[in-house]
Amino acid sequence: MTMPLVAPDIAEVARTGPILVIEQRKGDLRDTPSHTHAPGQLIGSLAGLLSVTAQDGSWVVPVTHAIWIPPQVPHALRSHGPFEGWSVYVTEDSCVRLPNTPRTLRVSGLLREAVHRAAGWGHTPQTEAEHRLAGVLLDEIVALPIEPLGLPRPSDPRVRRITDAMLGNLGDNRPLRAWADWAGVTPRTLARRFTVETGFGFSEWRQRARALRSIEMLAEGLPVTTIAMDLGYDNVSAFIAMFRRTMGVTPGRYSRSQASG
């Protein structure tokens, strides 16, 4: 499936807003090239994992979370297997309280129910009751906790050259000094720019990149041992320890939480 969740001309209806909610339950593969639209978009999963990329980073969207894409931000989508999901399109005028950069948010039960109800309308709010529910839905989006399921990309071309190469082979265990030599910068400069550009140190950024890639690999049904070896770990225990430090749970418990929704 290469089109956005709804056709762009339908999404533009959200200009009359404040929201337009769509559910997609076909279980299609998603592979949508980079595109933009005037409304902001909150994308959530009903089943399956979605990866989202934009200029400044990449994110994963499991069933427990959603990603907020502000208006006019170019973004591409790719699912890891069949995907069922929902989108809340928010007119630009109604985005003033929402983040101005992409963010991953933990979905609440209230939001899920409000989304399901509003998706049944098939249109933007028309009645007084529908407008009240739209207000509740927007309030809930504002209140959702932001959670770190994203990987920031640096803007410095020297650092981005390194991060792109690392993302191309996350099993490469070269230390910072070796990468600095490869890119023709001093280790001290590279360490400083990594922190300034991404908010993470070199090792933290690589660990985060590996954790997020492992979430995608788990969604694709790969065994933990294969994931650990592909990501450069000498043993499964070291990989599980990294995953737990980053995600707060073991890979097995994470997978079970996604299966249960």
Side-chain angles (χ1 to χ4, degrees):
M1 183 176 184
T2 58
M3 290 296 292
L5 191 59
V6 296
D9 58 332
I10 298 176
E12 292 301 312
V13 174
R15 287 179 178 274
T16 64
I19 63 168
L20 175 67
V21 182
I22 302 292
E23 282 188 350
Q24 171 60 263
R25 292 183 175 271
K26 292 182 180 179
D28 294 320
L29 292 171
R30 296 292 308 281
D31 191 2
T32 306
S34 184
H35 63 285
T36 63
H37 34 69
Q41 183 183 14
L42 184 70
I43 308 170
S45 172
L46 294 169
L49 182 77
L50 194 69
S51 291
V52 180
T53 57
Q55 177 68 19
D56 296 328
S58 57
W59 300 263
V60 292
V61 187
V63 295
T64 49
H65 291 71
I67 182 168
W68 167 249
I69 304 292
Q72 305 294 358
V73 171
H75 57 286
L77 314 172
R78 179 171 64 92
S79 69
H80 302 269
F83 178 79
E84 298 180 11
W86 51 266
S87 279
V88 179
Y89 291 91
V90 183
T91 187
E92 285 189 87
D93 290 345
S94 300
C95 289
V96 291
R97 294 188 295 151
L98 297 171
N100 58 10
T101 56
R103 290 287 187 271
T104 307
L105 309 171
R106 178 170 285 277
V107 174
S108 66
L110 175 58
L111 181 71
R112 287 182 188 277
E113 292 303 320
V115 163
H116 183 65
R117 173 71 64 85
W121 302 340
H123 51 68
T124 57
Q126 305 292 317
T127 68
E128 184 176 337
E130 289 175 353
H131 275 283
R132 286 198 299 269
L133 182 59
V136 170
L137 200 154
L138 288 172
D139 286 344
E140 188 65 6
I141 295 173
V142 172
L144 292 177
I146 296 172
E147 295 201 351
L149 289 177
L151 185 71
R153 294 188 69 203
S155 58
D156 186 314
R158 299 169 299 174
V159 184
R160 179 167 285 199
R161 182 182 174 215
I162 293 172
T163 57
D164 286 350
M166 292 170 67
L167 289 172
N169 180 14
L170 284 171
D172 189 329
N173 283 315
R174 274 182 285 177
L176 181 145
R177 180 174 294 276
W179 281 109
D181 291 343
W182 178 79
V185 298
T186 67
R188 182 174 181 180
T189 296
L190 178 58
R192 183 175 66 251
R193 294 312 303 170
F194 241 100
T195 302
V196 170
E197 294 278 328
T198 71
F200 297 98
F202 171 85
S203 295
E204 292 175 293
W205 189 93
R206 179 161 61 186
Q207 178 175 289
R208 188 177 194 78
R210 286 172 167 171
L212 295 183
R213 177 59 186 138
S214 69
I215 289 174
E216 296 175 342
M217 296 169 82
L218 286 167
E220 292 163 4
L222 294 175
V224 171
T225 300
T226 299
I227 296 172
M229 297 301 107
D230 284 354
L231 295 181
Y233 289 90
D234 293 331
N235 58 74
V236 174
S237 296
F239 164 69
I240 292 174
M242 178 281 295
F243 192 96
R244 180 185 286 150
R245 285 196 304 272
T246 306
M247 304 304 300
V249 295
T250 64
R253 179 168 292 182
Y254 173 84
S255 294
R256 289 192 293 274
S257 73
Q258 298 307 302
S260 64

